[in-house]
């Protein structure tokens, strides 16, 4: 789901860097082979994630929610030469596809893939000084993930949470459970004094948080 009008989104897509060939392949395969392919970050959001990562020049990235690896690869583009991205995916059935997708790239050796529940995996990670965290998993746990990673992010580091505009429902009259949870997430983070934050109206909404 994209919040912006289709014509505007097409214009934006046409005026950013082109989608790398390996990501074009992953995009096509995702739409051909995977349920709910709209969960893919896609061209424009992928270039935004890559841009932010390159600005941060991170040594350590944490991603919660790998899906088919599109955003993982975009984030990994900004890693330092000795950088690593730890990415966590709950669905083990995606393992073969993910490994094949990562082999298409120049960043394969910088990706460390974990399978299981992020709430169980993150506390056991030896890393505790992440430069960037990207959260794009089950929405009911978004605030739990935020609380879990906040102390693992360095001062000046970024936490990025996807889907915070929730198909436009968060600023509409809807009151279903998922919409309420996203609203609560946005409201709780908006008053958190330990971070700076803003929502970018990109695709389904990116909440970009900078730890003070």
């Amino acid at each position: 789901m994209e919040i912006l009008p289709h014509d505007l989104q097409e214009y934006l897509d046409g005026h950013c860097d082109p989608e790398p060939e390996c990501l074009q392949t992953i995009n096509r395969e995702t739409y051909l082979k995977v349920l709910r392919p709209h969960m893919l970050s896609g061209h424009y959001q992928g270039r935004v994630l890559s841009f932010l990562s390159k600005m941060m020049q991170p040594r350590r990235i944490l991603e919660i929610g790998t899906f088919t690896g599109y955003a993982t690869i975009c984030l990994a583009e900004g890693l330092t030469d000795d950088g690593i991205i730890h990415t966590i995916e709950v669905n083990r059935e995606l393992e073969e596809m993910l490994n094949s997708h990562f082999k298409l790239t120049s960043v394969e050796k910088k990706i460390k893939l974990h399978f299981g529940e992020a709430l169980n995996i993150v506390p056991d990670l030896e890393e505790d000084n992440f430069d960037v965290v990207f959260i794009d998993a089950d929405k009911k746990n978004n605030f739990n993930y935020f609380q879990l990673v906040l102390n693992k992010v360095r001062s000046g580091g970024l936490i990025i949470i996807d889907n915070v505009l929730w198909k436009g429902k968060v600023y509409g009259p809807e009151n279903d459970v998922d919409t309420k949870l996203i609203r609560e997430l946005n409201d709780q983070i908006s008053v958190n004094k330990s971070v700076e934050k803003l929502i970018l109206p990109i695709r389904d909404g990116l909440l970009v948080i900078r730890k003070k």
Side-chain angles (χ1 to χ4, degrees):
M1 166 64 183
E2 294 175 348
I3 295 296
L4 300 178
H6 179 71
D7 289 350
L8 174 56
Q9 189 61 59
E10 282 196 336
Y11 187 84
L12 295 174
D13 289 345
H15 288 79
C16 66
D17 285 337
E19 185 178 37
E21 186 175 345
C22 66
L23 292 177
Q24 292 179 35
T25 300
I26 293 169
N27 196 328
R28 285 193 301 270
E29 285 209 348
T30 300
Y31 273 85
L32 285 171
K33 300 178 180 180
V34 182
L35 292 175
R36 296 186 293 173
H38 62 277
M39 291 169 54
L40 187 92
S41 284
H43 178 197
Y44 187 75
Q45 180 170 303
R47 290 305 88 202
V48 171
L49 294 175
S50 175
F51 199 93
L52 291 172
S53 182
K54 288 172 181 175
M55 289 176 66
M56 294 295 293
Q57 296 184 310
R59 186 171 177 270
R60 290 294 181 267
I61 300 175
L62 172 63
E63 179 184 41
I64 299 177
T66 317
F67 194 43
T68 58
Y70 191 103
T72 314
I73 294 162
C74 295
L75 290 164
E77 290 174 7
L79 283 165
T80 58
D81 289 342
D82 62 344
I84 294 291
I85 178 168
H86 291 269
T87 183
I88 303 170
E89 174 54 45
V90 71
N91 184 1
R92 191 99 201 190
E93 292 181 1
L94 291 172
E95 183 174 10
E96 184 178 347
M97 176 178 280
L98 282 167
N99 288 331
S100 68
H101 286 174
F102 294 151
K103 285 178 182 177
L104 297 173
T105 76
S106 61
V107 294
E108 178 190 5
K109 293 182 179 179
K110 295 184 177 184
I111 300 170
K112 187 166 184 180
L113 180 58
H114 307 261
F115 285 98
E117 297 286 347
L119 292 174
N120 297 327
I121 293 172
V122 172
D124 291 336
L125 291 176
E126 294 180 3
E127 311 285 357
D128 60 359
N129 199 31
F130 287 102
D131 304 290
V132 177
V133 175
F134 181 50
I135 300 172
D136 186 14
D138 56 310
K139 308 311 171 188
K140 67 180 183 294
N141 276 312
N142 270 350
F143 192 67
N144 293 329
Y145 295 141
F146 169 75
Q147 291 180 303
L148 186 65
V149 304
L150 186 58
N151 288 334
K152 288 182 170 286
V153 176
R154 68 168 174 83
S155 177
L158 296 183
I159 301 171
I160 306 167
I161 306 177
D162 199 8
N163 303 112
V164 296
L165 293 179
W166 202 234
K167 304 173 186 175
K169 291 182 178 181
V170 291
Y171 51 86
E174 289 85 352
N175 274 307
D176 59 90
V177 173
D178 288 338
T179 300
K180 286 181 179 179
L181 285 172
I182 300 292
R183 278 201 198 106
E184 289 171 8
L185 168 80
N186 294 340
D187 291 345
Q188 287 170 309
I189 293 177
S190 73
V191 297
N192 189 314
K193 301 299 183 184
S194 69
V195 297
E196 298 171 295
K197 54 278 178 183
L198 54 82
I199 294 175
L200 301 179
I202 293 169
R203 197 164 169 269
D204 198 23
L206 285 179
L207 175 51
V208 182
I209 302 157
R210 179 182 179 273
K211 185 175 178 181
K212 293 181 180 178

